[in-house]
Amino acid sequence: MAKVWSSLFSKPKPQERMTLDDLYQQVVKYQGLEYPVLGSPGAGENYEAIDADFEGYVSQAYKGDGVVFACMVARMRLFSQIRFQWQKMREGRPGDLFGTKELSIFEDPWPNGGSTSALLSRAIQHADMGGTHYAVRETKSRGAAAISRIRVLRPDWVTTILTAPPDQAVECDIAGWIYKPGGTQDRSAWKFYVAGDERFAMWAPTPDPQALYRGMSWLTPVIREIMSDKAATKHKSKFFENAATPSFAMSFKETVTNDQFKDFIRTMKETHQGADNAYKPLFVGGGADITPLMYDLRQLDFKATQGAGETRIAAAARVHPVIVGLSEGMQGSSLNAGNFKAAKDSWADGEMRPLWESLCQAYRGLVRTPQGARLWYDDRHISFLRDDISEKAKVLAQEADILQGLVMQGWTQESAIEALMESGCVGDWRKLKHTGLFSVQLQPPMPDGPPAAKVVDQNGKPVKPQPASPGAKAGKLQPATGPGAAGRPAIGQQRPGAKPPATPKGSRDGDDASEEEA
């Protein structure tokens, strides 16, 4: 390891003028292997670097073409709205979301303006234009406390070092990464991250088929469309600047010699060929006959021509034209609410959620994951996905009906909820537990009829059923009559809550008894 650091960070020698072949011969030695660190990767070289056109993508595509900018901004705005959470895993099945203090590194990734949204915006920008996103967690001691931050590395300044050339060895793994600020060749300014020893994250959402670990920008397959879109825009501006017809046919008299004809063609190409010379007024001498072929942009059908290129760029970005607001997406049935919702759902489910999932897998090396959980994302608060929430509400209503039916059939409420929540609508019915109680339809028949109901009065005391009156039909209830019926007290009984009757004055029990004896 000491040789690695000495070879990487030793004091640089005075710079000499070298050829490109001499630069390719410079290597970094690590564990007995040689790792080239300069130039572009080729056959027999055990390192992978971002293509040198990253800066061209930024300046010419992202900053130089409106369609590319609109697609990237639409991706970035939605991608940067999630929050990181832990998700419980039970028997390989996802469960509830929860948070801990360990996730605070994503909420405040760096000082002075760092946030989850800023981190995710940088991640999707680097992945879109460089193919790969790199981030490292740095921890420094400040007194008795350890302060951590996440540092995002520019992708074209990072070189991935492999243990062996991919075309010469089966076991070709990542040995580490070299970060060269500004692309400098001064080794004293390089930073080397050893794989396994650092909290390093490497995210390549679209793998490059010609590399083992490097990613590919979605701009690569549509470079020609981007160039055509820029050229079409330039042609339109030239048309309005010069106010001339875009194309014509020219004929000459028979007296024009071959040399004169060639000189005229050469002069025409020098002054009128190319986008910079398009639509300039044409001045000709005698003997030339000009016939215009097209007169305006409508005859050129610029809208259809440029709109087709815009759609191809949006397709590579996996963004529907109606979401970005491109010309072909703002007409016809695309503006219908149902079609817009279908386009939005397809974009969220087919592109954004897979990107969030892959980023969570790449970022798990930056934090300590709790036992029985995984790093996941929470998108429930995103307003753009509110339509998905209404669909989820319908699913919840269906699940509520299923839950009610299970409980009515005797299954415990806790096990029914667990079975439904285990894997959504699919359900895991092995989680159900029965109470032993069944509904009325499942009770055995009673040949003797139901047991007699116990009749009580308003005081809660049992009341003997009165015999049926003569001539009453069997099975027909007779109305209660006489004392005690309908809550009336019987003879000699006192109504509940009533005061006892007062005793007459001059009347005593002894006097009454003596009068009876007499």
Side-chain angles (χ1 to χ4, degrees):
M1 192 66 187
K3 295 182 179 179
V4 176
W5 291 107
S6 61
S7 61
L8 286 174
F9 304 105
S10 58
K11 185 176 181 180
K13 298 179 180 180
Q15 295 185 357
E16 300 177 356
R17 306 291 292 182
M18 295 184 295
T19 64
L20 188 61
D21 294 335
D22 295 334
L23 293 177
Y24 285 148
Q25 302 303 320
Q26 293 195 16
V27 298
V28 171
K29 293 184 178 180
Y30 176 64
Q31 294 182 352
L33 300 175
E34 295 182 347
Y35 304 92
V37 296
L38 298 176
S40 301
E45 298 177 346
N46 47 345
Y47 73 100
E48 293 180 353
I50 296 297
D51 293 338
D53 51 3
F54 170 79
E55 195 161 339
Y57 285 165
V58 175
S59 59
Q60 300 298 324
Y62 183 72
K63 295 182 178 180
D65 188 83
V67 179
V68 175
F69 176 80
C71 292
M72 286 192 175
V73 168
R75 289 166 57 88
M76 182 180 63
R77 290 289 185 264
L78 180 58
F79 185 83
S80 61
Q81 293 187 48
I82 63 165
R83 295 181 300 213
F84 289 100
Q85 291 281 283
W86 302 117
Q87 187 176 43
K88 296 180 180 179
M89 298 294 293
R90 292 180 297 179
E91 299 179 359
R93 295 177 179 270
D96 298 334
L97 299 176
F98 67 98
T100 61
K101 292 183 179 180
E102 183 69 16
L103 296 175
S104 61
I105 187 66
F106 295 124
E107 299 173 1
D108 188 16
W110 56 77
N112 302 325
S115 63
T116 304
S117 178
L119 175 62
L120 294 175
S121 298
R122 289 292 182 181
I124 192 66
Q125 277 186 338
H126 288 175
D128 283 351
M129 288 177 281
T132 312
H133 161 64
Y134 301 94
V136 60
R137 179 171 181 172
E138 300 176 350
T139 303
K140 296 182 179 180
S141 299
R142 182 175 297 177
I147 300 182
S148 299
R149 61 158 293 167
I150 294 178
R151 188 176 300 278
V152 178
L153 307 180
R154 180 167 156 168
D156 59 330
W157 296 345
V158 178
T159 300
T160 302
I161 305 299
L162 306 179
T163 57
D167 58 342
Q168 298 180 8
V170 176
E171 297 181 357
C172 180
D173 303 320
I174 296 179
W177 300 267
I178 296 179
Y179 183 62
K180 297 175 281 188
T184 179
Q185 304 306 325
D186 184 1
R187 297 187 180 185
S188 62
W190 293 355
K191 176 70 174 178
F192 187 63
Y193 300 96
V194 180
D197 296 344
E198 305 283 350
R199 291 191 176 184
F200 200 93
M202 178 179 176
W203 181 46
T206 304
D208 189 342
Q210 294 182 324
L212 291 180
Y213 303 99
R214 185 183 60 210
M216 183 185 73
S217 170
W218 63 265
L219 295 172
T220 302
V222 289
I223 289 298
R224 292 185 180 273
E225 280 74 11
I226 297 174
M227 295 172 60
S228 299
D229 183 74
K230 292 168 65 69
T233 304
K234 196 170 186 178
H235 273 279
K236 286 192 299 183
S237 62
K238 290 296 180 180
F239 180 86
F240 292 110
E241 288 177 6
N242 297 298
T245 57
S247 183
F248 53 84
M250 184 175 295
S251 61
F252 298 91
K253 300 291 184 179
E254 298 84 357
T255 58
V256 177
T257 64
N258 190 28
D259 293 338
Q260 292 175 339
F261 180 73
K262 291 181 178 179
D263 290 341
F264 182 81
I265 292 177
R266 183 176 62 255
T267 304
M268 282 289 297
K269 288 183 177 180
E270 291 177 354
T271 58
H272 287 275
Q273 194 174 48
D276 291 334
N277 297 320
Y279 313 129
K280 288 183 177 180
L282 178 64
F283 303 95
V284 296
D289 185 12
I290 301 175
T291 302
L293 301 179
M294 297 182 184
Y295 297 92
D296 53 26
L297 292 176
R298 182 176 59 183
Q299 290 180 318
L300 280 175
D301 203 3
F302 252 73
K303 181 179 180 180
T305 303
Q306 195 169 18
E310 294 174 353
T311 303
R312 291 172 64 88
I313 295 174
R318 298 286 297 156
V319 183
H320 198 279
V322 70
I323 296 177
V324 186
L326 300 181
S327 59
E328 290 194 351
M330 302 301 293
Q331 57 186 351
S333 61
S334 299
L335 295 178
N336 295 341
N339 293 338
F340 178 80
K341 180 181 179 303
K344 185 173 66 172
D345 294 344
S346 176
W347 182 42
D349 297 336
E351 179 67 10
M352 289 292 105
R353 289 191 172 98
L355 289 177
W356 289 329
E357 180 178 356
S358 62
L359 181 64
C360 290
Q361 295 174 356
Y363 274 3
R364 61 186 177 183
L366 301 179
V367 290
R368 289 184 291 269
T369 306
Q371 186 68 24
R374 67 174 178 178
L375 183 62
W376 203 243
Y377 63 91
D378 184 8
D379 61 348
R380 294 172 294 183
H381 62 285
I382 301 178
S383 59
F384 185 80
L385 305 178
R386 288 290 173 82
D387 289 342
D388 291 350
I389 296 177
S390 63
E391 296 295 333
K392 292 179 180 179
K394 296 179 181 178
V395 174
L396 289 177
Q398 296 176 357
E399 290 181 347
D401 294 338
I402 297 175
L403 180 61
Q404 181 181 7
L406 292 174
V407 174
M408 291 181 63
Q409 296 301 325
W411 302 101
T412 62
Q413 181 178 355
E414 293 78 8
S415 64
I417 294 176
E418 184 179 3
L420 284 176
M421 298 301 295
E422 190 68 22
S423 57
C425 295
V426 178
D428 187 2
W429 306 119
R430 297 173 298 177
K431 301 291 185 179
L432 290 176
K433 297 179 182 179
H434 207 276
T435 60
L437 303 176
F438 299 92
S439 62
V440 177
Q441 290 81 1
L442 299 178
Q443 296 294 335
M446 294 177 288
D448 298 334
K454 183 183 292 186
V455 181
V456 296
D457 59 9
Q458 61 182 3
N459 296 325
K461 297 181 180 181
V463 177
K464 294 181 180 181
Q466 298 181 2
S469 59
K473 295 182 179 180
K476 185 176 181 180
L477 298 178
Q478 299 295 326
T481 58
R488 294 193 298 271
I491 300 175
Q493 293 183 352
Q494 182 176 336
R495 185 183 298 274
K499 296 182 179 181
T503 304
K505 296 182 179 180
S507 174
R508 293 180 301 174
D509 295 341
D511 297 338
D512 297 339
S514 60
E515 293 177 357
E516 291 177 359
E517 292 178 357

